[in-house]
Amino acid sequence: MTDGERRSPLDEVHRAAGASFTDFAGWQMPVRYSSDLAEHHAVREAAGLFDLSHMAEILVLGPEAAAALDHALAGRLSAIEEGQAKYSLLLDESGGIIDDLVVYRTGPDRFLVVANAGNRRPAVDAIRERAAGFDCVVDDESDDIALVALQGPKAEEILRNVEGFDIPELDSLRYYRAIDGNFRGHEVLVGRTGYTGEDGFEFFLDPDAAPELWDALAETGAGAGLIPCGLAARDTLRLEAGMPLYGHELSLATLPQQVGLGRVPVLGKEGGFVGEAAVVAGPAADAPVLVGLAAEGRRAGRADYEVFATEDAPDAAGVVTSGALSPTLGHPIAMALIRPELREPGTTVYLDVRGTRIPATVVTLPFYSRKKS
Amino acid sequence: MSLPAELKYTSEHEWVAVDGDVARIGITDYAADKLGDVVFVDLPKVGSTVAAGRVVGEIESTKSVGELYAPLDGEVVEANDAVVDDPSLVNADPFGAGWMIVVRFTELPALLTADEYAALIAE
């Protein structure tokens, strides 16, 4: 194994299941097992199982762990309760996004920060550097934690039926909360979180125990319509749910306000946070903003395709950051960074789809919301 | 991965079934698998002229966009409307119902054998 080809602790399980693989941030991860569409629909209608072991897990612990994270991240992590999770941002001095991450408070002085695989190093370095003046330690636990996600409307039913999975407080586990569980002698942090727009759970556990948990979930869920799902389905699911992806919607070049995350930074925290002054100053008046676009037909605008204000405008007014033919909705959808004067829902813009300009309508995100029971 | 021995292939992942002066053309099982689920197919019109090595159609999947290259010079004499109506045929039956176009050609260029194509995709 080289640095350029890292493999999940579930690699053998995926190969046995006939997965196709793709390189993702240096990891060989399953892109699909059977069909992108079948996997996508399974998550919307029943359940899907994802291996996310490439994600980075950073443990921050100590008496001043909360204060350190308040300084390091844009959100107020000290305000979340034990057992709660919070979506947050790691910004640079100029307000650009180094990473978006989910922080779980797993104890009074203990936080688990989940960062994107491709941003593991910059996230660890930035958090460690910013926490240096606080009484806490920052441990990169990424190599010692596997992550499996069970997503879909039947996720809870399946989880309840897994033999040997003891989750005493499952009845009270609400969205964006996490509790301890025990799977056949292995400690598991169970988060009611995910990245698909559906109800679901994420399981953090010892890599050695991950294959047994994967198999147990797959076997238990098979009768309920659960299938293993790859990164291709994960991408179309999160796009329909209007969830930004680092490297597409989010980058060092975008401030939170440009990408619909203006409410994530908490201004005026004691001691402030890195990037606060730039967030307060805000983006330039003509800085591009993130919008949703919906089109007719079947030809999708894809990442990096240009967006024009009119059918014959000579200059581009923006660029698509993610786009696909929505499997659930049946028409093309995209997220795009465009000139702010075009942001109003109902505005017609034109996607340059390989030389043909296709009209698209600015719509409010998300494209898809699950019906809450 | 299926690879019928009686067909010819191109390095752009088309298969070519030659019958007299016409050639039926599609994309290989390998190409269809790499693309993922095909959701849109755009083919050249019957009667149009195609030139070897030029893009003549588009094959979009949920994840990416593939192009159909003409493997030879000639005139399109048939286009598969069924695959335009139901692009999933490309994945389900790439060498059969998922065919793309039939071209009448004047000269058959050098194409790959199944073994040569197998070696190419094994690289």
Side-chain angles (χ1 to χ4, degrees), chain B residues 8-52:
Chain B
K8 298 288 189 184
Y9 298 88
T10 74
S11 57
E12 303 294 349
H13 308 292
E14 282 88 26
W15 56 261
V16 182
V18 178
D19 180 11
D21 64 349
V22 296
R24 185 175 299 262
I25 295 154
I27 66 166
T28 65
D29 196 356
Y30 174 84
D33 190 60
K34 285 286 176 202
L35 273 171
D37 290 310
V38 175
V39 293
F40 175 78
V41 174
D42 183 47
L43 298 176
K45 287 187 168 53
V46 170
S48 62
T49 302
V50 297

Side-chain angles (χ1 to χ4, degrees), chain B residues 14-17 23-27 68-72 98-103:
Chain B
E14 282 88 26
W15 56 261
V16 182
R24 185 175 299 262
I25 295 154
I27 66 166
L68 178 67
Y69 290 82
L72 30 68
W99 66 275
M100 302 272 166
I101 52 175
V102 176
V103 173

Side-chain angles (χ1 to χ4, degrees), chain B residues 69-122:
Chain B
Y69 290 82
L72 30 68
D73 297 339
E75 180 192 346
V76 178
V77 293
E78 280 185 72
N80 188 358
D81 292 336
V83 84
V84 172
D85 292 340
D86 180 6
S88 70
L89 291 173
V90 179
N91 298 100
D93 191 10
F95 296 107
W99 66 275
M100 302 272 166
I101 52 175
V102 176
V103 173
R104 177 169 290 120
F105 59 90
T106 46
E107 190 179 348
L108 192 64
L111 296 166
L112 303 174
T113 64
D115 285 347
E116 287 166 341
Y117 180 70
L120 179 82
I121 60 176

Side-chain angles (χ1 to χ4, degrees), chain B residues 43-73:
Chain B
L43 298 176
K45 287 187 168 53
V46 170
S48 62
T49 302
V50 297
R54 295 287 178 86
V55 173
V56 295
E58 292 183 342
I59 307 154
E60 283 196 48
S61 70
T62 46
K63 279 301 289 173
S64 59
V65 181
E67 289 167 325
L68 178 67
Y69 290 82
L72 30 68
D73 297 339

